[in-house]
Amino acid sequence: MKNFLRAILVVSIFLSINQISGHAQCKGFAKKICKLELIPYIHDGNYHAAILTEGEEAELYKTFFSGQEYRISICGSDALPEIEFQIIDAYKNVLYDNKENNFARTWDFTLESSQQLKIALKVPVGNSESEYPASGCVAIMFGFKE
Amino acid sequence: MFSKNVSTKLAKIFLVIFLATTVIGCTSNRAKKDTKNVELEDFISDDDIFDDIDKAKKIFYSLPSPLETAMLIKSAGADYDHELLNSIDNSSKYTTNRSLALNLGIYTTDLSFASLFDQTQTSINYMNAAREMAVGLDITDAIDDQTIKKLENNLNNRDVVMDIISETFLNSSSYLKENDRQSVAAIVLVGGWIEGLYIATKLVGNASLTNNKLVDRILEQKLSFNIVLRMLEDNRKNEDGSDNVDIVNLMMQLKDLNTAFDNVKVESTQIEVEPDTIRKVTALKSQTKISITPQAFKELQSTVDKLRTDFIQ
């Protein structure tokens, strides 16, 4: 009984600390690592980041405007396998797939006319032999040129 | 070393706290997803791109930030007009979460607009006004003395100024989102977005609507408006499952804007992807036809004006 309670104590403390500090780590990760990938583009200032686990997916919806040059940067923390992402239009056509581009973390593009696009990303299941799936920060950031 | 009794009690306390926080977390998420308000939902359009939203996935909605909004106005060939900004004298009036959040967005858009037109003293004044709003919302360290000093020292370097604005907005939005105040973050974004619409519609005035790039920029915001509604809907519930009054009221206020945007017709062709292997910048080629009648545009201008007047009161 004593060992059982001790185990619960350790797991509870670990999970509580992880929940509290996890978010803060994502802010630092987004600012100090992912944002640098936008250079020389200007970061728009928006913050989209979350802790994701292997096998999890996320989607982001945004309108991109004609005549602007954009960079999308999607990065995951070192604990995670390379993040897969696709850019999809309103007709559900895949405009870009980073799997076909050596898992690039950024994509630069311009638009002839303004469009609402979906960014679909996935944290693939890695090859780690660990018993538990890996979790870590994933940030999606946008830059543009003046 | 702990005695057996003490460690057993501690373990029980941690277990109770952990289970309680986990259960509360789970139930609040569920409540957020299950409860629907038919009246509000009815005016969220069924755009094709949102068809296959999977609620199990993490969903982000991204609006043009204050900096991007100001950039879009400038790149459309607009001129600077100081009279259109929300006066910094109003800043002391804002005391509620709603008014502070809306005006954090509004002042940040004004700051971005002034900075892009090299209005140096105005930029400092509006950075201070934005800081006042952030402090009022208990957003610590988003804009501190160092930020203001850095801005003052780099007023002639637009790239650095834009980086400072982007950084301060990132600080405040990440602080709000990471402290479970996503609804406040959403209101900040709506405030900034409406300010951009307000400045742009005022700058158009009575000018012709044809071949007017600024008019096109305004009408294109119909696409962002769908995202505004979905973002607000996503934040409509408090942790305990009750309605977030500020968000619900904001959604109700935006109904007239929804009606005004209904008069904007947008038709797009399929996108052709043209990679550029030298510059490594892909071109997304497509044609979009966007139109509105002069009367409907006047209504849109008046609706935006009414909304913005309410926001800065």
Side-chain angles (χ1 to χ4, degrees):
Chain A
M1 181 65 179
K2 191 178 169 187
N3 284 344
F4 172 70
L5 289 172
R6 187 174 289 161
I8 286 175
L9 175 69
V10 170
V11 170
S12 304
I13 292 171
F14 172 76
L15 288 174
S16 303
I17 290 170
N18 200 32
Q19 276 183 330
I20 293 164
S21 64
H23 287 303
Q25 282 165 7
C26 281
K27 179 184 171 184
F29 171 76
K31 273 176 76 171
K32 294 189 176 103
I33 297 171
C34 211
K35 193 181 161 189
L36 296 180
E37 307 229 5
L38 291 176
I39 295 170
Y41 291 74
I42 303 155
H43 176 225
D44 67 0
N46 279 330
Y47 175 74
H48 310 290
I51 292 180
L52 296 181
T53 303
E54 283 177 323
E56 278 193 302
E57 296 177 37
E59 289 174 353
L60 183 144
Y61 296 84
K62 178 174 169 64
T63 304
F64 296 91
F65 295 92
S66 60
Q68 300 291 116
E69 191 174 317
Y70 289 97
R71 171 171 288 184
I72 293 176
S73 166
I74 295 177
C75 46
S77 53
D78 288 344
L80 298 173
E82 297 285 3
I83 310 295
E84 296 172 8
F85 73 92
Q86 290 181 329
I87 313 295
I88 300 163
D89 70 8
Y91 295 98
K92 299 183 175 59
N93 297 315
V94 176
L95 308 176
Y96 177 79
D97 187 338
N98 79 326
K99 267 203 291 186
E100 291 164 11
N101 292 274
N102 201 24
F103 294 98
R105 289 157 73 118
T106 62
W107 186 54
D108 300 345
F109 64 103
T110 58
L111 302 99
E112 195 174 30
S113 64
S114 301
Q115 298 286 340
Q116 200 170 59
L117 301 177
K118 174 166 88 175
I119 294 133
L121 67 87
K122 184 181 178 184
V123 183
V125 177
N127 299 322
S128 163
E129 288 176 6
S130 165
E131 199 176 334
Y132 304 103
S135 290
C137 294
V138 176
I140 310 169
M141 300 186 109
F142 302 100
F144 53 81
K145 280 189 173 168
E146 191 183 357
Chain B
M1 291 289 284
F2 288 140
S3 71
K4 186 179 172 184
N5 274 348
V6 173
S7 63
T8 306
K9 274 181 189 167
L10 267 177
K12 280 179 181 168
I13 290 167
F14 272 109
L15 179 62
V16 168
I17 291 170
F18 174 67
L19 288 177
T21 51
T22 307
V23 168
I24 288 167
C26 292
T27 48
S28 66
N29 281 342
R30 200 177 307 129
K32 221 174 185 177
K33 279 174 187 147
D34 287 350
T35 324
K36 298 280 178 192
N37 177 325
V38 174
E39 195 191 357
L40 284 172
E41 272 216 326
D42 280 351
F43 82 104
I44 292 182
S45 70
D46 291 323
D47 266 28
D48 292 343
I49 199 160
F50 297 112
D51 274 359
D52 51 1
I53 282 189
D54 180 348
K55 294 283 183 195
K57 292 177 186 169
K58 172 83 185 159
I59 307 291
F60 298 98
Y61 295 105
S62 187
L63 275 183
S65 67
L67 192 57
E68 187 182 359
T69 296
M71 180 77 80
L72 291 170
I73 295 171
K74 193 187 176 199
S75 66
D79 292 323
Y80 177 75
D81 183 349
H82 184 79
E83 294 304 311
L84 296 178
L85 312 186
N86 180 22
S87 168
I88 53 170
D89 295 338
N90 288 336
S91 63
S92 57
K93 292 197 301 193
Y94 309 126
T95 50
T96 62
N97 259 353
R98 175 189 179 274
S99 62
L100 288 163
L102 284 171
N103 285 282
L104 174 57
I106 287 171
Y107 281 136
T108 311
T109 296
D110 290 346
L111 159 67
S112 307
F113 187 55
S115 299
L116 287 177
F117 285 90
D118 302 321
Q119 303 295 310
T120 53
Q121 188 53 50
T122 305
S123 301
I124 295 169
N125 294 343
Y126 277 81
M127 181 63 92
N128 276 310
R131 179 192 195 176
E132 223 179 301
M133 301 301 103
V135 169
L137 287 166
D138 289 327
I139 303 171
T140 51
D141 299 334
I143 308 170
D144 55 18
D145 287 341
Q146 260 189 321
T147 313
I148 306 283
K149 209 168 188 174
K150 195 175 168 192
L151 182 68
E152 285 171 348
N153 292 338
N154 290 282
L155 283 170
N156 295 318
N157 188 338
R158 199 189 297 159
D159 282 351
V160 178
V161 170
M162 283 197 287
D163 191 54
I164 294 168
I165 296 170
S166 143
E167 181 90 2
T168 54
F169 196 68
L170 173 67
N171 285 343
S172 47
S173 55
S174 59
Y175 181 90
L176 290 169
K177 286 178 182 174
E178 292 186 345
N179 287 280
D180 289 329
R181 295 169 71 191
Q182 286 93 337
S183 56
V184 179
I187 297 172
V188 173
L189 278 168
V190 173
W193 182 73
I194 288 290
E195 182 70 352
L197 260 183
Y198 171 78
I199 292 173
T201 49
K202 282 286 175 189
L203 287 171
V204 167
N206 293 317
S208 164
L209 303 185
T210 48
N211 295 324
N212 189 327
K213 216 172 159 189
L214 194 53
V215 171
D216 291 345
R217 279 283 183 253
I218 293 165
L219 303 185
E220 285 164 359
Q221 297 308 317
K222 176 175 179 156
L223 301 171
S224 290
F225 185 63
N226 291 332
I227 293 175
V228 169
L229 295 178
R230 285 177 184 274
M231 181 183 70
L232 291 174
E233 173 65 25
D234 231 31
N235 288 286
R236 203 163 57 81
K237 292 289 172 189
N238 293 316
E239 288 283 297
D240 61 3
S242 61
D243 273 337
N244 181 311
V245 178
D246 287 338
I247 296 281
V248 171
N249 287 343
L250 194 52
M251 291 182 80
M252 297 307 284
Q253 275 188 290
L254 293 176
K255 277 195 161 189
D256 286 344
L257 190 56
N258 187 58
T259 309
F261 271 126
D262 268 349
N263 295 319
V264 179
K265 304 291 168 222
V266 185
E267 289 167 46
S268 251
T269 61
Q270 297 245 8
I271 297 173
E272 283 175 35
V273 180
E274 282 187 14
D276 180 335
T277 48
I278 299 162
R279 280 191 69 225
K280 308 256 185 223
V281 178
T282 303
L284 301 181
K285 303 271 188 185
S286 64
Q287 299 298 317
T288 295
K289 210 174 136 191
I290 194 156
S291 58
I292 191 169
T293 63
Q295 179 56 34
F297 189 76
K298 287 266 173 250
E299 280 164 27
L300 177 63
Q301 283 176 308
S302 147
T303 305
V304 172
D305 192 20
K306 256 199 284 182
L307 268 174
R308 201 275 196 159
T309 303
D310 177 81
F311 286 3
I312 65 164
Q313 267 172 5

